[in-house]
Amino acid sequence: MLACLGAAPAEAVAKQTAMALRYVTEAKQFGAALCGCHALCRGLFGSHLAAHAVPQFLGFAVLAACGLRAWFVDGGYVELASTPGVTHASAFGELASTLQIPFQLYELACALGVKRLRGKSFELVAHHALALLLAVLSARKGLYFYYGAYFMGVSEVSSLPLAFVDAFKMFKHLKRDYPTANAVARPTFAVCFLALRTVYWPVVSYHFWAASLAHAGDALEVNTFLVVNILMTSLQAYWTKLILEGLYKLVTGDPTADDVGKDN
């Protein structure tokens, strides 16, 4: 009888461990690919700042692809109206959440080595650290994979044009050589960011909060996610302010328009 009583918890632990390790191989391969790409680009471009641009873009692309698959192809956006629970399954949401671990570790390592990648007030370091914390908790506890598909996947769509914006800001010769691409990248980033992180982000956050408050158990993890969501949403609001200021300057022809916006 005692053996039977101990079987269920043991089975639950084994199931949770299996879930936590489901994409560990892919995460290791992803991290290795980012570091290998960085090393190759460092040799080609001569600086860590320039080398960071390519693996960062590839990371954004992979994470965005996972999120888009989960949210639009697999119908995640349709399910949102029913406020799925924090344990709701999403294969590509789980993959996006797990791949965020090596990606944010890579970003933190680059930020430590390159001052420009930290943000003016270390806001980018805070962003990477918080995203890493959530990704680790999500992967280890099997929580928030459905919402991770949006917050850790779909939202990265806005980061794709941002990578070009940053490249043009940091390397002036690119802006000179590719003026049309520079002119297109900034408003494209602004539109994507405002749509995904300013307008739709709070909608998903509303359901995220409703699901979290209705969840029984995992109090430490759920409360951590709620606190970090407040911090991350505040960061989106701060960046929204900067982007709107940049758009205003762009529309009015202000020559300092390139200096205003989400600084990387």
Side-chain angles (χ1 to χ4, degrees):
M1 182 175 179
L2 290 176
C4 292
L5 289 174
E11 182 179 348
V13 170
K15 182 177 180 181
Q16 185 181 63
T17 302
M19 177 179 292
L21 299 178
R22 191 200 306 245
Y23 292 117
V24 67
T25 300
E26 288 82 356
K28 290 179 179 179
Q29 292 172 340
F30 188 51
L34 293 173
C35 294
C37 183
H38 184 101
L40 177 62
C41 292
R42 173 70 172 82
L44 292 173
F45 304 141
S47 75
H48 287 294
L49 180 62
H52 168 261
V54 177
Q56 182 193 49
F57 180 83
L58 294 177
F60 287 150
V62 170
L63 294 167
C66 291
L68 290 173
R69 168 61 191 268
W71 206 251
F72 295 105
V73 178
D74 295 343
Y77 76 98
V78 176
E79 296 179 290
L80 184 63
S82 64
T83 310
V86 303
T87 59
H88 190 72
S90 172
F92 280 91
E94 179 179 355
L95 180 58
S97 299
T98 306
L99 294 184
Q100 279 282 359
I101 297 174
F103 182 66
Q104 296 303 336
L105 286 172
Y106 167 75
E107 288 291 321
L108 281 171
C110 290
L112 290 175
V114 182
K115 183 178 179 180
R116 182 68 182 269
L117 300 178
R118 301 169 193 166
K120 292 181 179 179
S121 304
F122 281 81
E123 69 274 9
L124 294 178
V125 174
H127 175 272
H128 298 320
L130 292 174
L132 176 61
L133 172 63
L134 295 187
V136 170
L137 286 178
S138 181
R140 290 300 302 165
K141 297 294 291 185
L143 301 173
Y144 294 105
F145 290 144
Y146 169 79
Y147 294 98
Y150 185 82
F151 291 126
M152 299 187 184
V154 176
S155 65
E156 297 293 10
V157 170
S158 67
S159 299
L160 294 173
L162 173 62
F164 288 95
V165 172
D166 287 338
F168 289 126
K169 287 172 65 176
M170 291 185 288
F171 308 106
K172 301 301 182 183
H173 67 281
L174 292 178
K175 184 167 64 174
R176 182 184 65 249
D177 295 341
Y178 304 98
T180 302
N182 176 56
V184 170
R186 286 181 291 162
T188 300
F189 161 64
V191 170
C192 290
F193 187 97
L194 293 175
L196 296 174
R197 293 177 179 261
T198 304
V199 176
Y200 198 37
W201 179 290
V203 175
V204 180
S205 290
Y206 168 81
H207 293 279
F208 164 88
W209 271 78
S212 298
L213 295 176
H215 181 69
D218 304 301
L220 176 61
E221 290 78 14
V222 169
N223 288 331
T224 299
F225 269 87
L226 291 175
V227 170
V228 174
N229 180 259
I230 294 174
L231 297 175
M232 295 290 273
T233 301
S234 299
L235 195 55
Q236 309 311 311
Y238 169 70
W239 281 332
T240 296
K241 172 181 175 293
L242 297 183
I243 289 168
L244 291 176
E245 290 175 349
L247 281 177
Y248 176 78
K249 290 192 172 187
L250 186 64
V251 171
T252 57
D254 191 317
T256 65
D258 279 352
D259 300 325
V260 180
K262 182 183 172 184
D263 186 21
N264 243 12

